[in-house]
Amino acid sequence: MSKNLTTRAEDYSKWYNELVVKADLAENSGVKGCMVIKPYGYAIWEKIQAELDRMFKETGHSNAYFPLFVPKSMFEAEEKNAEGFAKECAVVTHYRLQNDPDKPGKLRVDPNAKLEEELVVRPTSEAIIWSTYKKWIQSHRDLPLLINQWANVVRWEMRTRLFLRTAEFLWQEGHTAHATRTEAIEETEKMMNVYAEFAENFMAIPVVKGIKTANERFAGAEETYCIEALMQDGKALQAGTSHFLGQNFAKAFDVKFANAEGKLEHVWGTSWGVSTRLMGALIMTHSDDKGLVLPPNLAPTQVVIVPIHKTDEQLEAIDAVANDLVAQFRKLKISVKYDNRTTLKPGFKFNEYELKGVPVRIAIGPNDLENGTFEVARRDTLTKEVVAKDAVVKHIELLLEQIQDELFDKAFEYRNSHITEVSNFDEFKDVLENKGGFVSAHWDGTSETEEKIKDLTKATIRCIPLDRKEEAGRCVLTGKPSAGRVLFAKAY
Amino acid sequence: MSKNLTTRAEDYSKWYNELVVKADLAENSGVKGCMVIKPYGYAIWEKIQAELDRMFKETGHSNAYFPLFVPKSMFEAEEKNAEGFAKECAVVTHYRLQNDPDKPGKLRVDPNAKLEEELVVRPTSEAIIWSTYKKWIQSHRDLPLLINQWANVVRWEMRTRLFLRTAEFLWQEGHTAHATRTEAIEETEKMMNVYAEFAENFMAIPVVKGIKTANERFAGAEETYCIEALMQDGKALQAGTSHFLGQNFAKAFDVKFANAEGKLEHVWGTSWGVSTRLMGALIMTHSDDKGLVLPPNLAPTQVVIVPIHKTDEQLEAIDAVANDLVAQFRKLKISVKYDNRTTLKPGFKFNEYELKGVPVRIAIGPNDLENGTFEVARRDTLTKEVVAKDAVVKHIELLLEQIQDELFDKAFEYRNSHITEVSNFDEFKDVLENKGGFVSAHWDGTSETEEKIKDLTKATIRCIPLDRKEEAGRCVLTGKPSAGRVLFAKAY
């Protein structure tokens, strides 16, 4: 395995694929379109999970678990949802294999073990969950019902990419039921805000909050809110969605409640999710040609200590100092690793931790011990400084916060400098081709125009930003009137 | 919904089913054989997960995630494993649904979207994981490889029962690879011990550690270690297994490593797992006719405070005292709930928390405020005592530990008094029919005898206890020589 990655300038897509594998995040499996999430990648996902789970619980949600399979008749019940996912779903038709009479040692599906009704492997769980909510909801006292599920889902994608688009992926899906339209919309917006806060404060990924157009809306929703991030190659990435389902699923599954006056009404629903796709966003927001760059919040190892020595005696002296440092960091709940493997050279270790994005590296050599100083290196800026021994723990505690903040600031500046307002279609195409990023343009509000622009440029409307200003204008393609700008981009 | 459960004496099986549903732990779903784990049940599962995950990491294991699907050819590779699971696996054959031309609004599998190779929904992940380990392991420096996965698996069971036997269930599965046979056996035993420690210290479930007979061994293993628990109806329940896989999977998937001398050898494997079945063991070990009894370690709410009041003023006074208590408990990381819902009577609340197994209940009425005392009730013993206000927090902190210990002691005594040594087959049948529990008997070591006894009595050999004493004897059925007793029981 070559140590060096393809650079972003050479081939961005290749850089990404190599980084994911070489930094031990994930790899393709022997199952078409499905990935293996490797221990280092999974450790980052666990940090994402833990923080989101905390935030969901803090906002009143409980976890539960619903079946992997959706019987076909249940899957069909909400028509738009079914139509949206039918084209890409894995279907279980049999429940047994048997010895293949024609091929010794091989198995085949047992023709006598065909299911009466096919089972769809959940591409999303609205159907199975709303069929359950029918049993759980009778009265307004049962509402709101605020449930989240951590699960795997399957969408049969033909062109897959590690983390970004895989046939099976891991996610969480919130499914809530409410007595009123207003309350359901409030929940939808609240969870979009939870996602935005999480992306920005925890993952250091700036996002635009907005609403999807009808074309890009979740199948079965009345409105889809989203957070959109911008990758370093100028392409957008949808990092999370929150759907206002109206009464669509309540009607499809006959979920009614008796209101305070005893009158039966259909309940109002929401659903919202983020997935292992966030790992792709994380990688493509911060990383560089040396490998992964991790915000300290997400780093399984925040600080690594590497000894530089020639003799065993030197190593012993360094060991003592390093072990003391480790203990001090642990007290502060800073995750630290002292890598004193003697089979590997320091330079090899430096490369490895750069590739894996460990935010801070401390190198300790015999001279450092004499001088009472350490060399402290930052992964994000690739800069080094010399820090006095007694000050180093406090210094790094603050440095980790600083790195977290500066990674956000850097991504924020990049993102902001890549939102470009255009006033005609030539400009639109020019920005899209030569600069990338979000193109802020007037649009006449029709799906036809949206699709025409997509056909011509591959750009889609990422969202109608929630904070857009009202501004009369003319559609960039058709010249028809528009009430405000929307954000277009090529997207993952 | 009737408040009262069927009693255990009336119908143990019905008692169990009712309890699971009424205590909000789980229920059957619209998918045959698959359950919905309800929020309260899932909260207990989360506690199980968190503690086990901590123990796995402390013993050097990392989490990762492998695909849900196993291509048929990969599934076939380890023959015994394939044979063991082929009879009960869900098989994906198609990747798309389409509108059914004969039935408007209905879907059918798209005959043009048949997979080239069928995919088995994982019943266990050895095949997919060992096919990956082939890529990960080259040298002795890559060993040991210590990985765990939290996942859902599917085994197509015809007769299902909530938690105990469901078509889909949640579990963790550890999969490790080692350079030597000895090291792999050590790992197998270590993880059995981790499970035993967890079951006893955390779940308050006493277990027997032992080895399975060839008949009961995991398909593809050389040796299966297990922990066996005893339920209140005298039936045994396998609570966890740890398998020494020998080189079976390494050979099936061609996983070799270069040893220190550069010679290629097949690696040695283990796998080990516990599942949502543990929820069934938990329920059936501790609970009573009033409902669930939870060891404090597993209780999502450890203490509930219920106000007893007639007037709003009384409630206000109680609120102040209760909120202060809540704050004190939270400081001690004791999970507490103050239930001051005014729509429900105290008696209703008492029943609800008894049903749900909240370990300690504090009731506070106006008299208590005057006297400076509270009524403290224990769920496990259904006893009450009056405790001085200032002493109550400390009292309950100790009481929770005491309850945890006493639940174990009670189950331990029950279990020990239900291990009965027998010396002939009449006694064997008599104990099994009239007393239940483990029957400790000599066995001639053959699968034939084991199966004959199963046919005659429905009892299986639960395990060959690790701590059994060497004792020459005669097989209880055949009279042939035996080197020691094994434990028989009817089992879940």
Side-chain angles (χ1 to χ4, degrees), chain B residues 203-215:
Chain B
M203 300 189 72
I205 300 176
V207 294
V208 176
K209 297 190 258 190
I211 292 176
K212 289 286 183 192
T213 60
N215 263 0

Side-chain angles (χ1 to χ4, degrees), chain A residues 27-28 31 37 46 57 63 65 68-69 72 76 86 89 91 93-95 97 107 135-136 152 168, chain B residues 27-28 31 37 46 57 63 65 68-69 72 76 86 89 91 93-95 97 107 135-136 152 168:
Chain A
E27 65 183 33
N28 285 309
V31 191
I37 306 179
E46 285 181 309
K57 283 174 177 156
N63 290 329
Y65 189 77
L68 171 67
F69 299 128
K72 186 167 69 68
E76 286 163 354
C89 61
V91 188
T93 56
H94 291 74
Y95 58 86
L97 292 174
L107 299 168
K135 292 190 267 180
W136 291 3
N152 53 344
E168 181 192 15
Chain B
E27 65 184 31
N28 286 309
V31 191
I37 306 178
E46 285 181 308
K57 283 174 178 159
N63 289 330
Y65 189 77
L68 171 66
F69 299 129
K72 187 167 68 67
E76 287 162 353
C89 61
V91 187
T93 56
H94 291 74
Y95 58 86
L97 294 173
L107 298 168
K135 292 190 266 180
W136 292 2
N152 53 343
E168 182 192 13

